[in-house]
Amino acid sequence: MHTWPSPRRKHAARTGPRTRNRTRRASARLSGSLLVSAALLVSACSAGSSTASSGRAAEAALAALPRSTPSALSSYYNQHLNWRSCGAPGFQCATMVAPLDYAKPGSGDIRLAVARKKATGTERPLGSLLVNPGGPGGSAIDYLQQYAGIGYPAEIRARYDMVAMDPRGVARSEPVECLDGRRMDAYTQTDNTPDDQRETNALVSEYRTFADSCGAHSAKLLRHVSTVEAARDMDILRAVLGDPKLNYVGASYGTFLGATYAGLFPDRVGRLVLDGAMDPSLDARKLNLDQTAGFETAFQAFAKDCVRQPDCPLGGKGTTPAQVGDHLQAFFRKLDAHPIPADDAGHRKLGEPLATTGVIAAMYDEGTWGQLRDALTSAMQKNDGAGLLALSDSYYERDANGHYSNLMMANSAVNCLDLPPAFTTPEQVEKAVPQFEKASPVFGESLAWASLNCAYWPVRATGEPHRIEAKGAAPIVVVGTTRDPATPYPWARSLAGQLSSGRLLTYVGDGHTAYGRGSSCIDSAIDTYLLHGTPPPAGKRCS
């Protein structure tokens, strides 16, 4: 089954699609952007009609917190971090303490992992630059140490201390815990395009098992992993680092986190880049439906490219994208009936759920299309599913020993708390399947069923759709890619329009997010903004 991270970081997996950020390196790209999960994923979900929720959202905006720091939080804002060497040379790590419950600061703390790499230059430093790769559930510290801290432009790293904090419930910051590796294998392989009542019951049972396990292992934490709480943690970090304003680059779900910060603390906004933007005004069902259409847009681009290549297993010159989709669907149906060997140490076979996840994973970055063609060729012509299984495992962050990171667990936990479920019963999904299939003939049914997972979550949602205006904030750069699969371009337009100081920067192209992915036009505009505070001109487009 696939749990796509919410648009925040997910795609169409069991927990909903994620909105992961893809770096220049393929290995890093396939490990950081979930977004919409089955739960929503923006990874998001909402019970009832999207029209009703969207109507409420049009009237409600995220309210800013008081400018003064409450006395009950002063000890957190005044704490001292004890930095130590960690990871690669040049990186330091520390542990920051925040209240588990901001409504009751004295009721207990949560320990949050922080990492940094000090500015390397001799010019006047610009302070800290906090980075987040998305998810929700992606490790910001891994992103910093494996990419941002060594791969961001030298000019940026020379002027800024590069900083990351794993959000509450994620990776090193008291992670949400649910299923073990063996049970996660069963979960990810469950058929989420049920053909009959028996298969529907099996899917619902897996969703319940996953939710119950999270509730059993992380009961107290599940109530306090919302995006609002994570954004408040970021403000404590800003203060502890000694920065009067927050400078930040967030991708995918990280844009929702950054925009939420701006809405809560507009007067503390420094230079914010929101790349691969999410739209906070949408409910879970609309988010999932939009993301489904986004993956179809990406697939259409892949299909057109594939048939121009000599090694495309889905058709040759003259084959239409619709026909390519038909061929892929026929292959999925074949796997549904007869999974194929995958040369896996755990004896897993490649069935429809893992194959679909593998294909969706490759939609995040056009740089992986060649890898996808190879994997499909092996599976369709040689009965070897190893290539697609590898793509799927990279998406789920499963290693060769059968161990999963807590990405998918944190993804569901955040998504299911941020928004009410997209659907609450299988019957609602069945009625919605035609609409999802219209949005994507290839992925629609799977993504519709992936949107059911929050229905069984042990904790009620505390968030709801809302606009973010951040009145009084400094200019905020919102980046949208026209054929982004996980965070569709209309979301970037919407967020830029909601933010009182939003400035839309458009990349006409493929893939999820735009910064650091090969466009000198995009990179130059963002670098100029981060270094000099000058946002790109209104309506700037790059290709």
Side-chain angles (χ1 to χ4, degrees):
M1 113 182 350
H2 20 294
T3 304
W4 315 137
S6 72
R8 302 152 186 187
R9 187 210 178 194
K10 192 187 176 194
H11 74 278
R14 268 274 162 20
T15 57
R18 323 169 261 182
T19 50
R20 307 176 149 186
N21 174 36
R22 301 301 184 193
T23 69
R24 292 188 182 95
R25 304 172 184 176
S27 61
R29 290 171 186 160
L30 282 179
S31 65
S33 43
L34 264 159
L35 249 202
V36 179
S37 84
L40 112 236
L41 213 199
V42 265
S43 275
C45 326
S46 168
S49 74
S50 61
T51 301
S53 296
S54 298
R56 290 195 299 272
E59 301 171 0
L62 185 66
L65 293 172
R67 293 194 176 196
S68 59
T69 301
S71 59
L73 298 179
S74 61
S75 63
Y76 298 104
Y77 274 80
N78 294 323
Q79 66 186 288
H80 174 74
L81 298 184
N82 295 314
W83 294 99
R84 63 189 185 280
S85 297
C86 66
F91 288 94
Q92 298 175 308
C93 292
T95 300
M96 190 187 85
V97 177
L100 177 66
D101 184 351
Y102 277 92
K104 301 176 181 178
S107 63
D109 296 337
I110 186 169
R111 295 165 61 84
L112 304 173
V114 182
R116 74 178 178 186
K117 188 175 186 183
K118 296 286 288 182
T120 60
T122 58
E123 294 185 66
R124 180 180 61 84
L126 294 173
S128 305
L129 180 63
L130 188 65
V131 296
N132 183 282
S139 171
I141 292 178
D142 284 352
Y143 178 72
L144 175 72
Q145 295 183 336
Q146 297 171 15
Y147 176 63
I150 56 177
Y152 266 34
E155 298 89 341
I156 301 296
R157 292 182 285 116
R159 302 292 300 280
Y160 284 101
D161 290 347
M162 301 294 295
V163 179
M165 177 172 64
D166 282 348
R168 50 177 60 206
V170 174
R172 300 165 180 81
S173 293
E174 299 196 21
V176 171
E177 297 180 352
C178 304
L179 302 176
D180 62 20
R182 181 183 61 83
R183 287 297 297 122
M184 277 297 293
D185 277 348
Y187 180 70
T188 59
Q189 292 178 81
T190 302
D191 187 352
N192 64 339
T193 56
D195 300 317
D196 52 35
Q197 191 61 49
R198 179 185 63 81
E199 291 186 351
T200 298
N201 292 342
L203 178 59
V204 168
S205 177
E206 282 296 319
Y207 281 141
R208 290 186 182 278
T209 296
F210 184 85
D212 291 346
S213 177
C214 295
H217 291 95
S218 303
K220 190 175 182 180
L221 183 59
L222 290 187
R223 293 174 170 80
H224 298 291
V225 292
S226 70
T227 297
V228 166
E229 290 165 310
R232 297 192 68 172
D233 295 340
M234 286 165 53
D235 195 56
I236 293 178
L237 178 60
R238 172 203 58 77
V240 170
L241 292 172
D243 294 316
K245 294 181 181 293
L246 180 77
N247 302 309
Y248 174 83
V249 176
S252 198
Y253 163 77
T255 67
F256 180 58
L257 181 58
T260 299
Y261 180 90
L264 294 172
F265 306 103
D267 58 307
R268 299 171 193 172
V269 168
R271 298 168 188 178
L272 262 62
V273 177
L274 308 179
D275 184 13
M278 291 185 57
D279 183 352
S281 72
L282 302 179
D283 65 22
R285 178 170 174 173
K286 185 64 166 69
L287 282 168
N288 279 335
L289 189 60
D290 282 0
Q291 195 175 54
T292 298
F295 278 102
E296 181 65 22
T297 296
F299 179 76
Q300 293 280 319
F302 163 75
K304 292 175 182 177
D305 178 77
C306 186
V307 298
R308 291 195 293 262
Q309 309 301 326
D311 61 344
C312 180
L314 296 170
K317 186 176 181 180
T319 306
T320 67
Q323 290 170 327
V324 171
D326 289 342
H327 295 159
L328 183 60
Q329 286 180 279
F331 173 60
F332 285 160
R333 287 193 295 270
K334 180 180 177 181
L335 292 177
D336 188 30
H338 303 288
I340 62 176
D343 189 28
D344 177 60
H347 306 291
R348 292 174 300 162
K349 290 189 173 183
L350 181 75
E352 181 185 17
L354 294 178
T356 304
T357 300
V359 173
I360 286 182
M363 294 300 101
Y364 281 94
D365 176 13
E366 68 275 21
T368 62
W369 288 357
Q371 181 182 354
L372 176 59
R373 291 196 307 273
D374 290 343
L376 286 169
T377 297
S378 293
M380 298 174 72
Q381 299 178 9
K382 302 175 184 177
N383 211 44
D384 177 4
L388 282 173
L389 185 63
L391 283 167
S392 176
D393 284 350
S394 72
Y395 184 84
Y396 285 124
E397 293 192 357
R398 179 194 189 275
D399 66 24
N401 296 318
H403 175 266
Y404 290 76
S405 76
N406 92 310
L407 169 65
M408 304 311 298
M409 303 168 202
N411 184 266
S412 288
V414 175
N415 287 326
C416 295
L417 196 60
D418 276 352
L419 286 174
F423 302 108
T424 57
T425 67
E427 291 73 23
Q428 290 179 352
V429 178
E430 290 172 351
K431 291 180 180 179
V433 163
Q435 186 180 19
F436 276 72
E437 289 183 321
K438 183 178 180 180
S440 174
V442 177
F443 305 120
E445 182 182 9
S446 179
L447 290 173
W449 284 102
S451 305
L452 182 63
N453 78 319
C454 283
Y456 309 103
W457 204 243
V459 176
R460 291 180 62 87
T462 57
E464 62 181 10
H466 56 271
R467 292 178 299 112
I468 298 180
E469 299 174 352
K471 293 181 179 179
I476 298 172
V477 175
V478 179
V479 188
T481 298
T482 56
R483 294 187 293 277
D484 190 318
T487 49
Y489 180 65
W491 292 357
R493 286 205 313 261
S494 178
L495 179 60
Q498 292 171 44
L499 292 167
S500 62
S501 60
R503 188 69 61 86
L504 180 62
L505 174 62
T506 298
Y507 175 59
V508 181
D510 298 295
H512 181 41
T513 73
Y515 185 46
R517 298 191 66 248
S519 169
S520 59
C521 175
I522 290 289
D523 292 354
S524 176
I526 293 176
D527 292 346
T528 297
Y529 169 67
L530 291 175
L531 291 171
H532 305 292
T534 305
K540 184 174 178 62
R541 296 171 70 87
C542 298
S543 59

